[in-house]
Amino acid sequence: MPCSCASNKKQFEVVADEGNGRVLFTSSSEPTAKAVSKRYENSVVREKPKPQPATAATGTK
């Protein structure tokens, strides 16, 4: 069984033109992400959102 510690690890994304939202680079190191973002004009560093667990759909009758 794989380790679940990776799900608790923060990851950072370098995003081009925040309005565009295209992810250019992903890293677990914030300083590395900030260094990469300096190479791209108008890019921002943000924490990668955690995936939400799937929930069962409930129907009404």
Side-chain angles (χ1 to χ4, degrees):
M1 180 174 250
C3 175
S4 65
C5 60
S7 64
N8 296 327
K9 193 169 192 172
K10 287 186 178 181
Q11 288 200 323
F12 300 92
E13 297 177 329
V14 177
V15 182
D17 296 327
E18 194 170 5
N20 180 356
R22 188 171 62 120
V23 177
L24 302 170
F25 181 77
T26 303
S27 174
S28 60
S29 169
E30 187 175 16
T32 300
K34 286 182 178 181
V36 170
S37 73
K38 291 179 182 178
R39 298 178 188 170
Y40 299 96
E41 190 175 331
N42 298 325
S43 66
V44 294
V45 175
R46 67 178 183 197
E47 189 173 333
K48 185 175 182 178
K50 302 264 186 212
Q52 298 298 321
T55 58
T58 58
T60 57
K61 293 184 180 182

